[in-house]
Amino acid sequence: MAEPHRIFILGAGRVGTALAIALERAGAAPAGLWTRSPASAERARRLTGVPCWQGALPEMIGQATRVILAVSDPATASLAGALLDGGLLRSSEVVLHCAGGRPAAEALAGLGPPLARGTFHPLLAIADPEAGARHLAGAAIALEGDEAARRAGAEVARCLGARPVELPAGGLLAYHTAAVLASNHAVALWAAALELLGLAGVPAEEQLPALQPLISSTLTNLGALGVPAALTGPVRRGDAAQVARALELLDRAAPHLSPLYLAATAQALRLARALSDPAAEPGLQQIEELLRSRA
Ligand SMILES: NC(=O)c1ccc[n+]([C@@H]2O[C@H](COP(=O)([O-])OP(=O)(O)OC[C@H]3O[C@@H](n4cnc5c(N)ncnc54)[C@H](OP(=O)(O)O)[C@@H]3O)[C@@H](O)[C@H]2O)c1
């Protein structure tokens, strides 16, 4: 029987530690974990049962057949270079990195054959390792790079109960931009909504509890109905007067939010049109004119 792969993870931040916890729970504990600072190493030791190093890169990495770099994006290339220069990739067949913004050939430009380079990007917002480890099961993991690296990444993803999604190098930027819009910019949008609840007079401690069920029910609708059917609200109904009134308020009381509202209205208008509701069409026409007058 073939020997199981020895995985070594570099970076014990949110992603590296979440991966170590989840792999250990899946019965495929990494051989080791390295991180830069004593504090991160201490936390990783506490949360995982995985041997953990800090500071100088340990010789032990040289025995790993698969290396996963889960460090900050700018540190990825220099760390890969340090591993190569230190002879620590001598047993490695595959090096994966977790940054979704750059293809492996760029992020790991210093490495090359016979090493296979790949991107292994969990499509998740991992804010803490323990929750991240739980959410990895069922998450999509984008894989990109050399064939052997994509194969290895898919094995790791399946071991975690995640869904491997293979992407061409040219698709990674669109993929990453989608992730940013869906998660980071959604938080920015919700922050704008909270600000407006404050403006409406909702007490600070009530704002988030008031907004959360709205967001949850919207996500439930999205999962059940998809787009465009999950769209509700004034644009869907073609209520141009309400859109105009909202814009007047924003221009007057929160002008920094007007461009955001206009951009989101334009995208909602595209969805509303896709619903082909004849009753809404005259209003949609007026909304289109309103947007054109503000362009
Ligand atoms: N968080 C997410 O939701 C998410 C999702 C998908 C992909 N990713 C990607 O996963 C990777 C890790 O992200 P993260 O959220 O886990 O970040 P993080 O929690 O900030 O952890 C970053 C890790 O990088 C290490 N590090 C930072 N600068 C370094 C340097 N100059 N040299 C060596 N190590 C350095 C840190 O070490 P110390 O703590 O020991 O100093 C820490 O272990 C990134 O490429 C990120 O884009 C993140």
Side-chain angles (χ1 to χ4, degrees), residues 11-16 34-37 40-41 43 69-73 75-76 79 98-100 121-127:
R14 290 162 289 196
V15 171
W34 169 89
T35 196
R36 188 179 53 167
S37 72
S40 295
R43 183 180 65 167
L69 293 170
V71 293
S72 65
D73 294 10
T76 300
L79 196 57
C98 297
H121 183 267
L123 191 53
L124 275 180
I126 301 180

Side-chain angles (χ1 to χ4, degrees), residues 10-11 34 67-84 89 95-104 106-111 118-119:
L10 289 108
W34 169 89
V67 166
I68 302 179
L69 293 170
V71 293
S72 65
D73 294 10
T76 300
S78 57
L79 196 57
L83 289 171
L84 192 67
L89 296 176
V95 177
L96 299 169
H97 78 101
C98 297
R102 285 186 196 288
E106 258 182 61
L108 303 173
L111 310 184
T119 303

Side-chain angles (χ1 to χ4, degrees), residues 221-287:
N221 293 344
L222 182 69
L225 305 172
V227 286
L231 180 72
T232 56
V235 178
R236 178 182 177 142
R237 296 190 295 271
D239 187 347
Q242 187 60 30
V243 172
R245 276 156 45 81
L247 262 174
E248 275 163 30
L249 166 89
L250 292 175
D251 289 345
R252 185 169 23 88
H256 59 291
L257 297 180
S258 298
L260 191 60
Y261 187 87
L262 283 164
T265 301
Q267 177 66 1
L269 180 62
R270 281 185 206 105
L271 296 184
R273 282 254 155 84
L275 285 162
S276 306
D277 175 1
E281 189 47 40
L284 296 182
Q285 189 63 39
Q286 288 169 12
I287 293 171

